[in-house]
């Protein structure tokens, strides 16, 4: 099922934990459609480069298995972790700082997390072995 021109439900629910159910509810699918539309803007902003989804929606079982908090926006289908081939996560974050995201996080200098909400906080962070701090 296509959620937007470049993003499918299958890629937005992919998980390495294949034995765990990661099926979203209809409300979560609606959220994933909103997220996919936002990721279309991300893709356009990055000059049409591919966006490789590591993780978007996570059921409670999957979220628990990866050690994330129940308050994670991944649980609602409102967040995605992704890589952009040929772009460092720092460059991705810098290119997207003007967008109306809720959070954008450079995680372990390996991928970018982005989330959306009705009231975007526009929080830009770095998470790595040194902890969590503002992205500057």
């Amino acid at each position: 099922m296509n959620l937007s021109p470049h993003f499918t439900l299958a890629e937005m629910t992919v998980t390495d934990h294949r034995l765990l159910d990661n099926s979203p509810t209809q409300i979560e699918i609606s959220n994933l459609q909103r997220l996919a539309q936002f990721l279309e803007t991300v893709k356009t902003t990055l000059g049409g480069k591919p966006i490789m989804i590591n993780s978007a929606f996570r059921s409670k079982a999957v979220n628990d298995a990866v050690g994330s908090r129940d308050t994670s926006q991944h649980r609602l289908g409102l967040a995605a972790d992704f890589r952009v081939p040929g772009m460092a996560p720092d460059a991705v974050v810098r290119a997207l700082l003007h967008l109306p995201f809720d959070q954008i996080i450079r995680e372990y200098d390996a991928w970018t997390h982005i989330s959306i909400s009705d009231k975007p906080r526009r929080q830009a962070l770095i998470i790595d072995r040194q902890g969590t701090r503002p992205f500057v």
Side-chain angles (χ1 to χ4, degrees):
M1 166 184 182
N2 287 341
L3 298 173
S4 71
H6 295 101
F7 300 96
T8 66
L9 181 60
E11 73 184 305
M12 299 293 272
T13 57
V14 70
T15 179
D16 289 338
H17 300 278
R18 291 183 181 92
L19 298 178
L20 300 175
D21 182 23
N22 201 41
S23 303
T25 66
Q26 192 55 52
I27 290 171
E28 292 158 347
I29 290 171
S30 294
N31 287 342
L32 285 168
Q33 287 172 318
R34 281 182 51 210
L35 179 62
Q37 287 301 321
F38 184 79
L39 289 172
E40 293 291 343
T41 302
V42 168
K43 183 175 181 66
T44 299
T45 300
L46 298 177
K49 291 184 183 346
I51 299 197
M52 312 301 291
I53 304 295
N54 299 341
S55 175
F57 174 75
R58 293 185 198 143
S59 65
K60 176 153 178 48
V62 170
N63 201 58
D64 289 350
V66 301
S68 188
R69 296 179 181 158
D70 280 337
T71 56
S72 169
Q73 288 171 298
H74 286 279
R75 289 278 297 113
L76 304 172
L78 295 172
D81 296 338
F82 64 96
R83 294 171 289 103
V84 179
M87 281 188 85
D90 272 350
V92 172
V93 170
R94 286 192 208 314
L96 303 178
L97 284 174
H98 69 283
L99 296 180
F101 55 83
D102 188 51
Q103 284 187 318
I104 192 165
I105 306 170
R106 186 199 81 193
E107 294 195 43
Y108 299 95
D109 206 24
W111 67 86
T112 304
H113 165 99
I114 200 159
S115 63
I116 59 173
S117 75
D118 292 332
K119 295 180 181 179
R121 294 176 287 171
R122 298 186 44 78
Q123 211 177 37
L125 302 169
I126 294 172
I127 294 177
D128 58 21
R129 290 182 181 180
Q130 297 171 355
T132 302
R133 60 193 178 280
F135 183 95
V136 287

